[in-house]
Amino acid sequence: MKKNILLVVIIGVALTILPQPISAQEVGDEEEIEFRIDDDAPMEPGNSKTPVLMPTLWQNGYLLDFHGTHADYVLRILDDTANVVYFAVVPSMQTQVWLPTTLSGTYRIELVSGSLLFYGYITL
């Protein structure tokens, strides 16, 4: 009887560690993305909405860097006609996301967690 063998190869990836920004102002090429919340979930009697922590995400060119802990997110990048041009799932343990270098211009960035949608704008 033949046995199938599954070979798993793990490749190490070097991550660039960015300095901790000291303020919400631009620090070199690194800039904080300001998010707003679009929460259309209805308020029902007896269920009040609790305060929501806004995500802290910094942009350095095509690198997005989550400073601190964050929830699991679905990341979407939309062009000016609201077409999704990039999509990724960002688990809570992932701190950095590289965007494709083929993107150029101003885009809406969305982070979705459960029924919450956070959005802002980036320029690449």
Side-chain angles (χ1 to χ4, degrees), residues 59-80:
Q59 177 190 1
N60 187 350
Y62 288 88
L63 177 64
L64 301 179
D65 191 4
F66 290 88
H67 285 272
T69 59
H70 64 86
D72 293 335
Y73 288 119
V74 172
L75 168 69
R76 295 187 298 215
I77 306 292
L78 293 85
D79 64 14
D80 58 352

Side-chain angles (χ1 to χ4, degrees), residues 2-3 13-14 18 20 31 36 68 76 105 107-108 117:
K2 279 186 160 180
K3 291 186 178 182
V13 178
L18 299 177
Q20 180 73 22
E31 184 176 325
R36 295 175 182 85
R76 295 187 298 215
Y107 297 91
R108 176 177 163 128
L117 168 66

Side-chain angles (χ1 to χ4, degrees), residues 1-51:
M1 171 193 270
K2 279 186 160 180
K3 291 186 178 182
N4 292 330
I5 299 173
L6 175 63
L7 177 62
V8 178
V9 179
I10 299 175
I11 300 173
V13 178
L15 296 177
T16 303
I17 305 298
L18 299 177
Q20 180 73 22
I22 56 174
S23 72
Q25 302 299 316
E26 188 173 289
V27 179
D29 291 332
E30 188 176 48
E31 184 176 325
E32 183 175 13
I33 300 171
E34 292 184 28
F35 283 97
R36 295 175 182 85
I37 187 168
D38 184 4
D39 181 12
D40 291 332
M43 285 185 58
E44 298 174 7
N47 292 337
S48 63
K49 291 189 177 185
T50 58

